Amino acid sequence: MDLNGDGNLDLAVTNENNDTLAVLLVNGDGTFGSASVTSITAVSPVYIAPGDFNGDGKPDLAIANYYASDPITVLLGNGDGTFTSTTSPGGSYAASIASADFNGDGIPDLAVPNSQTASLNVFLGNSTSTASATLAGVAVPGSGTHNVLASYPGDSYNSSSLSGTAPLTATQIATSSSLSASPSGSVTYGTTVQLTATVSPSTVGTLNASGTVSFYNGASLIGSASLSGGQAIVNASTLPAGSNSITATYAGDANFAGSTSSPIIVMVTKANPTLTWPTPAPISYGTPLSSAQLNATASVPGTFVYTPPSGTVLGVGSQTLSVLFTPTDTTDYNTATGSVILIVE
């Protein structure tokens, strides 16, 4: 058997009288190196059976000891022609020893005949080899620390087993947010625009995203709403006239990370104020114009400029009165004009 892994067959010899093992490593040219003699835990070692008894790929030796109650000595090879001694169940008065796979499990076994009882002891080997399985890229979504373990179901020759637990810290689920407006495009000032933010994903396994979504016009907060079913809705009725850059920011929760949508543009045009000016009652010639005739009203605050102005005395006949209304909020409202007919008698 090649005891040191150099591709050459070596010799191992027991000495019954001094309980030693001599290993002679072959030089590869038909000669041997000096014998390496080692004392072993044995009494009258007489027979040797080679094999890989611990499944490490290195040759081992099983030695049968003759005298009663002495165990079988197993020497585990280090791969360099040296050995580490261990023991196995005994077979007294060993007449020989043989190693083979007697039960077909792929693991070497030992057979030891007893010269005194004419019986045969068979020792089935137990593998001490270790196999590993690796699962890469494992991530637990959400929050907290989770204890994970590995479960081996076993097979025809190996029983099932469970590993110890290892802590695995969960990672927040990454999200993305999108935003839409209804109506979209251009609207008139004062029109209510429904802003809808959608957070994705909003459900992973048994985890559902929660928390608050805040809506901004530039840096100004429009309003906030709770996330429900992956969406949050805010109605905006006071978007100023002009180009409005709207974004939605999801704050996240313990399990889902926050995110901000790309901006959308909502164009708001100025609104036209509504003027109300009832037709005035006829007046007699010589009566100056006053608030009784110049009494237009508007739907928003502002100033009125009448033509002709208050205090004017009009001639007899049908006269046209006109007004120019300028709203206080000129950012969001247009100016407006109006007129009525006044009869002067």
Side-chain angles (χ1 to χ4, degrees), residues 281-316:
I283 60 174
S284 299
Y285 174 74
T287 303
L289 295 176
S290 67
S291 59
Q293 296 82 38
L294 307 179
N295 57 352
T297 59
S299 56
V300 294
T303 58
F304 298 86
V305 176
Y306 293 96
T307 302
S310 179
T312 301
V313 176
L314 299 176
V316 174

Side-chain angles (χ1 to χ4, degrees), residues 187-265:
V187 298
T188 302
Y189 176 76
T191 301
T192 297
V193 178
Q194 185 180 84
L195 301 173
T196 302
T198 301
V199 175
S200 180
S202 60
T203 299
V204 174
T206 60
L207 302 177
N208 296 307
S210 62
T212 302
V213 177
S214 298
F215 297 80
Y216 293 89
N217 183 6
S220 300
L221 178 66
I222 298 172
S224 300
S226 296
L227 190 69
S228 177
Q231 290 190 327
I233 297 174
V234 159
N235 290 318
S237 58
T238 57
L239 293 177
S243 177
N244 296 271
S245 180
I246 312 298
T247 57
T249 297
Y250 170 52
D253 61 16
N255 299 315
F256 290 80
S259 56
T260 298
S261 72
S262 298
I264 62 172
I265 302 300

